Each structure stands twice: as C-alpha cells, then as structure tokens.
Amino acid sequence: MARPLDSATREALVERVRFYRDLGLTEFYRRPVDPALVAEDEEQQQHAQTETVLDQPPALFADFQPANSHEEHPIPARRSFPEPPQIAAAVPLADRAAALQMIREDIGDCTRCPLHKGRNKIVFGDGSPSARLMFVGEGPGADEDAQGLPFVGKAGQLLNNMIAAMGLKREEVYIANVVKCRPPGNRAPAPEEANTCTPFLFRQIDVIRPEVLVALGATAVTYLLGARQPLAGLRGRVHSVRGTKLIVTYHPAYLLRDPRQKKEAWADLQIAMKELGLKAPSRG
Ligand code: URA
C-alpha cells in the first residue's frame, strides 16, 4: 500500500497541479517527467550563477544583406485576452519544458485557420523554456517553414547577431511568432489567422514567464498589446503584457532593408538589457 505523502511533498504536488491547471492543461499527471530535462534544469541553474559581466557595447549586428521578407503591417488585433494565470515563482525547467510540450501537442496537426493549407512545418518556438528574455516575431518565412524553427533565415541571422550583441546565446532566449504557420508569400497574417494562433503564444509566454519580452515589428506588438498603434510611438519605453515587461523594436527583416535603423534597434535592446541587468560584451 502507498505511504501517505508528507505535507511538504503534498504541497509541492498541489503547487504543480495548480501550475498546470492555471495553464489550462489537465493531463499532466499522465506524463512522466523526463530525467534528461531535470539534468538540463540543473545545468541551467549553474549557468545562472556564472553570469558574465560585460562592459562595452559590441560591434553592432552588421554584415547582413537586405532580404525580401516581411513588411511592417499593423493590423487589428482582438482586444481582450484572458488574464495571465497566477503561477508559482520558481517553476522547474522540467515542468516548463513539459508544459510547452503539452501546448505543442494541443496544437497538433493544426487546421484551425487557412494558413495550414500552405505550410510544410508548424513553427512552434525555439529556445530555453526558462528564458529570461523572449522574442516574438510575426510568422515563419520559407526557411522557417522548411525547418520548423523560427528565425533561421536571413532575418534569423540578424536576430542571432542582435542576441549575441546583448551578450546572450540563442539557446538562452526563447523565440516564437504570432502565427505558427507560414503566411503565403510572407504576407502579414490576417487578423483571424493571428487571433486563432495567439492563444498558443500566450500560453507559451505564461509557461516561460520571461522577465522581458521583445516584440519584433508591428505585427508582434499589435497582437501582444491587443491594439494597433504605430511602432514609433511604442518604442523607447517599457510596456507590460501578461505580467511581463515588453520592449518594442523593429523586425530584423526591416533592419535588413534599412540598416540605418539598426542604431535605433540597438537602443531598444539596451532598454531590454537594462531591465535584465545585462551589460554588452566587450569587443575583441
Ligand atoms: N520572420 C518572422 O517574423 N519570424 C520568423 O520566424 C522568421 C522571419
């Protein structure tokens, strides 16, 4: 016969059940925790203790050619979103990874909006489930659609450089998009497409609970804030979304087309870095 649980274990279990329930996930108890993920969690914690302090601004994310990619298209977003769940402060990485996996399984072989007709792969997201910093883009392009990963094309190379400029590794942040399937011809997602897909993005945000979100471009900020506003008026300050700080900057594809704006984008990223207590790595 099973022994009764001591009160600390029971409390921990109740907390875990609440965590999943608040996310709308009710089947967690059927799923075993992968020991490999627990090991990863320990590694993450070790990494957090050895954060590098960097004192000079890096070379700005240069050396990329303009790509024929997304335009900045602000579009109407659904205005009311469910409030973020109240979840415990320190959620182990294994739980977050498992919760993300459940969201992915919930998406399944999605046919909820017309974008599924033209997609090759669903682009769920990429990075650390316990990232302190999360980037949100618009939607997959051709490279992302082929590989099933966000920001792996030209704009992705620039985003990687932006992340490195902040003194971070791509694996340390989390990257997702407003829509998870490629809009035909890289057009901006239609409101009904974006509004169908964003509940999954919000669930990802609620699981990861990054300290800072960076909205890349007008589509991301429109759907994160739930309101269409010109990007220029939103840059330069810290917004709040689902209990997380939100910084607004240009989409990397736009920066590829107009590299003069990289300076502006770097100013935005520095706001994010300040919020995270990060200093830029020194050159050389
Ligand atoms: N542009 C986006 O907005 N997202 C991607 O994943 C790639 C390019």
Side-chain angles (χ1 to χ4, degrees), residues 175-222:
I175 307 171
N177 283 307
V178 168
V179 290
K180 303 201 183 313
C181 296
R182 183 190 182 197
N186 293 351
R187 66 161 168 76
E192 55 279 20
E193 295 160 351
N195 286 329
T196 302
C197 212
T198 44
F200 297 109
L201 173 66
F202 296 146
R203 282 169 65 184
Q204 286 170 290
I205 294 170
D206 292 343
V207 165
I208 297 163
R209 291 192 312 119
E211 287 163 51
V212 174
L213 272 168
V214 174
L216 299 168
T219 299
V221 73
T222 296

Side-chain angles (χ1 to χ4, degrees), residues 69-70 123 137-141 144 149-152 155 177 251:
S69 189
H70 301 275
V123 178
E138 178 177 288
E144 291 77 21
L149 288 169
F151 283 97
V152 289
N177 283 307
H251 192 287

Side-chain angles (χ1 to χ4, degrees), residues 39-254:
E40 204 184 324
D41 188 25
E42 280 159 10
E43 220 175 81
Q44 285 271 340
Q45 284 175 11
Q46 253 179 354
H47 189 269
Q49 285 159 10
T50 56
E51 188 187 322
T52 328
V53 178
L54 309 150
D55 37 24
Q56 271 180 30
L60 276 193
F61 22 92
D63 304 324
F64 289 94
Q65 297 306 311
N68 187 14
S69 189
H70 301 275
E71 296 295 329
E72 305 279 319
H73 288 310
I75 43 181
R78 185 171 56 192
R79 275 166 194 274
S80 71
F81 301 111
E83 280 306 301
Q86 299 301 308
I87 52 180
V91 181
L93 178 63
D95 286 359
R96 292 183 192 211
L100 287 176
Q101 180 57 26
M102 278 184 261
I103 299 169
R104 177 63 190 91
E105 285 170 20
D106 212 7
I107 293 172
D109 195 15
C110 187
T111 56
R112 293 170 179 85
C113 92
L115 291 183
H116 79 275
K117 292 181 197 149
R119 74 148 185 261
N120 285 303
K121 289 198 173 154
I122 290 176
V123 178
F124 179 67
D126 186 31
S128 167
S130 57
R132 298 178 64 208
L133 174 64
M134 176 167 173
F135 291 90
V136 177
E138 178 177 288
D143 295 306
E144 291 77 21
D145 176 63
Q147 294 185 41
L149 288 169
F151 283 97
V152 289
K154 278 255 157 58
Q157 287 172 38
L158 178 53
L159 179 60
N160 290 348
N161 263 15
M162 291 161 75
I163 293 166
M166 299 174 83
L168 294 168
K169 298 194 184 81
R170 180 170 162 130
E171 319 80 83
E172 290 176 295
V173 306
Y174 195 87
I175 307 171
N177 283 307
V178 168
V179 290
K180 303 201 183 313
C181 296
R182 183 190 182 197
N186 293 351
R187 66 161 168 76
E192 55 279 20
E193 295 160 351
N195 286 329
T196 302
C197 212
T198 44
F200 297 109
L201 173 66
F202 296 146
R203 282 169 65 184
Q204 286 170 290
I205 294 170
D206 292 343
V207 165
I208 297 163
R209 291 192 312 119
E211 287 163 51
V212 174
L213 272 168
V214 174
L216 299 168
T219 299
V221 73
T222 296
Y223 288 99
L224 285 171
L225 286 179
R228 174 184 164 164
Q229 288 174 50
L231 199 68
L234 296 168
R235 292 185 46 245
R237 50 204 165 93
V238 181
H239 306 264
S240 174
V241 162
R242 303 185 82 72
T244 294
K245 291 168 182 166
L246 171 74
I247 314 291
V248 176
T249 195
Y250 295 116
H251 192 287
Y254 171 72

